[in-house]
Amino acid sequence: MISIRNVSKWYGDFRVLDGCSTAVGKGEVVVVCGPSGSGKSTLIKCVNGLEPFQQGDIRVDGTSLADPKTDLPRLRARVGMVFQHFELFPHLSVIDNLCLAQIKVLGRSREAARDKGMALLARVGLAEQAQKHPGQLSGGQQQRVAIARALAMDPVVMLFDEPTSALDPEMVSEVLEVMVQLAQEGMTMMCVTHEMGFARRVADRVIFMDRGAILEDVPADQFFAAPRAERTREFLSKILDH
């Protein structure tokens, strides 16, 4: 579903991605981790064209992002993206946040969009909050709405960019539980996260990045039991010991 081949990106003279290559198969869950500034968020934003890259190619379900003829808005409609900050429209109700893109981008009727939205809110445990505005919800609830909104577009893949890092610790589990359910239902997912418990529980593979390069790309059990790179072992010792 996702193919990343020799992708490099610069900000001026600074190389933020350095020859990154990996792939995510249909139904696979891949966790991307690494220290701050390692390029992991930039990489995932390149996958749906939010960040341009100067070298290499990324394909999503066969469509190349390096091809100038690719219709990026059309591609993004098929790629669900959940950000660190929820990016909900504060002036719209929760249900209207879910309906807007369905109507404007997919051409669904208001009734069909609402039915889909309500079903997804029920799925993330928030049907009773449909008429509230985002500001009336907790951070964890807002992030679950953001996940439901992404799912409303019937995406072929879901991308998560540190979806729990802005949340209070007590709210993290409710968001991760929704992500675990998605993984168990077979959704193709690429997740930038520091939540190693989530990675152990559902990730098929773990990618470790440092200084813009992929240092490790291995099955999850191997990543935790016997990482190959010294930098990976150092990273794990710091985050797993506390």
Side-chain angles (χ1 to χ4, degrees):
M1 294 298 288
I2 300 172
S3 169
I4 299 172
R5 292 183 187 168
N6 199 32
V7 169
S8 294
K9 174 181 173 62
W10 287 262
Y11 289 130
D13 293 333
F14 179 66
R15 190 169 187 165
V16 65
L17 294 177
D18 186 1
C20 296
S21 296
T22 189
V24 182
K26 185 175 174 61
E28 198 172 20
V29 178
V30 173
V31 162
V32 185
C33 63
S36 295
S38 60
K40 54 193 187 296
S41 288
T42 302
L43 181 66
I44 207 167
K45 286 174 182 170
C46 287
V47 172
N48 71 344
L50 287 177
E51 288 273 6
F53 51 92
Q54 285 81 42
Q55 208 171 68
D57 191 18
I58 296 176
R59 290 179 177 267
V60 178
D61 200 18
T63 300
S64 169
L65 279 94
D67 186 343
K69 296 192 290 290
T70 292
D71 184 342
L72 286 179
R74 186 177 177 185
L75 176 69
R76 288 191 194 109
R78 305 178 64 228
V79 179
M81 183 91 188
V82 178
F83 298 91
Q84 178 176 347
H85 299 287
F86 326 117
E87 309 294 347
L88 299 171
F89 294 112
H91 63 292
L92 296 180
S93 67
V94 165
I95 188 61
D96 285 344
N97 264 280
L98 267 67
C99 290
L100 184 64
Q102 293 186 70
I103 295 167
K104 298 286 188 186
V105 179
L106 300 183
R108 285 184 182 145
S109 69
R110 185 165 294 278
E111 184 180 9
R114 184 178 176 80
D115 288 348
K116 177 92 174 177
M118 288 304 299
L120 286 166
L121 286 176
R123 183 172 169 185
V124 299
L126 293 172
E128 72 283 359
Q129 311 291 348
Q131 300 307 323
K132 290 186 177 177
H133 282 69
Q136 297 173 278
L137 305 182
S138 70
Q141 288 174 324
Q142 289 186 64
Q143 194 61 293
R144 284 187 281 156
V145 170
I147 293 172
R149 180 179 61 177
L151 292 173
M153 302 298 285
D154 297 326
V156 293
V157 300
M158 285 284 286
L159 308 177
F160 295 86
D161 185 13
E162 301 199 34
T164 59
S165 61
L167 300 177
D168 291 337
E170 290 177 336
M171 298 174 184
V172 168
S173 62
E174 66 189 57
V175 173
L176 290 179
E177 200 52 50
V178 172
M179 294 171 65
V180 167
Q181 288 172 13
L182 282 177
Q184 291 171 344
E185 291 165 9
M187 174 61 75
T188 306
M189 296 165 61
M190 192 170 181
C191 314
V192 173
T193 183
H194 291 300
E195 300 292 343
M196 293 296 103
F198 171 79
R200 282 185 193 271
R201 188 171 169 191
V202 298
D204 296 297
R205 291 201 338 274
V206 178
I207 290 170
F208 177 77
M209 294 184 68
D210 190 35
R211 298 184 181 182
I214 292 175
L215 299 188
E216 205 101 32
D217 184 355
V218 294
D221 54 356
Q222 181 181 333
F223 177 80
F224 289 108
R228 292 175 299 196
E230 175 60 34
R231 182 69 183 90
T232 313
R233 293 193 287 273
E234 179 189 336
F235 176 79
L236 280 174
S237 71
K238 287 179 178 174
I239 65 169
L240 294 180
D241 289 349
H242 298 286

